[in-house]
């Protein structure tokens, strides 16, 4: 299955589009995210999973006025994460660092401000189809600075809908009830993004 999915930010200052391919229990996607906060930027990404929708690669490049950064986050078959980053120019953003040792329990990446990377844990846990919950550690990449930290997250199936399901996402004090389609992709992420095509 191949799809082109597009989301607009609920604050109208952000947009994202992704070309997504699902084959069995694997996902590959390339996308573009545009934003203006905390600085205007364009971000291009590639994400690939292995079997079971377990992340293998997240490759990101981001560019702004007079600066650019890139990062490559890989998950090996042995369960280790590696991170490389680089950049040019000056911008008032935190440095792109990674807590590699803290990511040992993580199977998934989570690209900041992107509704797409919620898909992998939802599919693996079957939460788009029926009851259940999952407590996870994610390799969360902040946007647009590209720093990576371990993030504790919880996904909980709330109910089935005509077109999919509602899944509650929570991390720390933040909670959002995500509307998911039958394929496991976000349709509506309150306070973040709403899908407009695909």
């Amino acid at each position: 299955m191949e799809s082109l999915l597009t989301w607009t930010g609920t604050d109208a200052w952000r947009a994202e589009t992704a070309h997504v391919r699902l084959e069995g229990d694997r996902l590959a996607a390339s996308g573009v995210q545009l934003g203006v906060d905390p600085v205007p930027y364009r971000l291009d990404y590639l994400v690939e999973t292995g079997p079971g929708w377990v992340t293998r690669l997240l490759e990101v490049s981001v560019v702004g006025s007079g600066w650019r950064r890139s990062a490559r986050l890989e998950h090996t078959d042995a369960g280790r994460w590696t991170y490389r980053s680089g950049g040019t120019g000056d911008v008032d953003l935190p440095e792109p660092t990674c807590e590699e040792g803290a990511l040992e329990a993580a199977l998934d990446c989570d690209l900041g401000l992107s509704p797409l990377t919620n898909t992998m844990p939802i599919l693996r846990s079957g939460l788009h189809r029926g009851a259940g919950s999952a407590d996870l550690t994610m390799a969360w990449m902040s946007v647009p600075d590209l720093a990576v930290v371990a993030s504790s997250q919880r996904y909980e199936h709330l109910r089935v809908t005509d077109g999919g399901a509602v899944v509650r996402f929570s991390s720390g004090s933040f909670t959002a009830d995500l509307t998911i389609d039958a394929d496991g992709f976000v349709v509506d992420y309150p306070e973040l993004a709403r899908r407009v095509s695909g």
Side-chain angles (χ1 to χ4, degrees), residues 32 37 62 70 132 174 197:
V32 178
D37 187 26
V62 61
S70 62
F174 178 80
S197 71

Side-chain angles (χ1 to χ4, degrees), residues 20 22 24-27 52-53 116 118-129 155 180-185:
V20 183
L22 282 178
D25 61 350
R26 296 173 186 251
L27 177 147
W53 298 286
L116 177 70
N118 297 101
T119 300
M120 291 91 84
I122 288 172
L123 288 175
R124 191 170 55 255
S125 304
L127 300 177
H128 59 308
R129 294 198 175 124
Y155 290 83
I180 308 298
D181 70 15
D183 295 313
F185 295 104

Side-chain angles (χ1 to χ4, degrees), residues 73 81-84 95-101 103 146-149:
L73 182 66
W81 290 89
T82 61
Y83 175 81
R84 293 196 317 263
E95 288 300 310
T97 58
C98 180
E99 303 174 344
E100 288 179 34
L103 302 178
L146 309 187
V148 177
V149 298

Side-chain angles (χ1 to χ4, degrees), residues 26-130:
R26 296 173 186 251
L27 177 147
S30 58
V32 178
Q33 186 183 109
L34 303 174
V36 299
D37 187 26
V39 293
Y41 67 90
R42 172 193 165 123
L43 182 147
D44 293 84
Y45 65 84
L46 172 69
V47 61
E48 296 176 355
T49 79
W53 298 286
V54 174
T55 298
R56 281 199 172 162
L57 173 68
L58 174 62
E59 199 166 54
V60 179
S61 63
V62 61
V63 61
S65 181
W67 63 276
R68 66 177 56 243
R69 284 185 179 180
S70 62
R72 183 179 177 93
L73 182 66
E74 289 187 86
H75 191 218
T76 69
D77 291 335
R80 295 204 41 158
W81 290 89
T82 61
Y83 175 81
R84 293 196 317 263
S85 67
T88 59
D90 292 321
V91 60
D92 186 18
L93 291 172
E95 288 300 310
T97 58
C98 180
E99 303 174 344
E100 288 179 34
L103 302 178
E104 292 178 3
L107 298 178
D108 303 294
C109 67
D110 183 3
L111 180 63
L113 305 177
S114 174
L116 177 70
T117 48
N118 297 101
T119 300
M120 291 91 84
I122 288 172
L123 288 175
R124 191 170 55 255
S125 304
L127 300 177
H128 59 308
R129 294 198 175 124

Side-chain angles (χ1 to χ4, degrees), residues 165-176:
V166 176
V167 175
R168 177 164 291 161
F169 167 82
S170 56
S171 181
S173 61
F174 178 80
T175 299

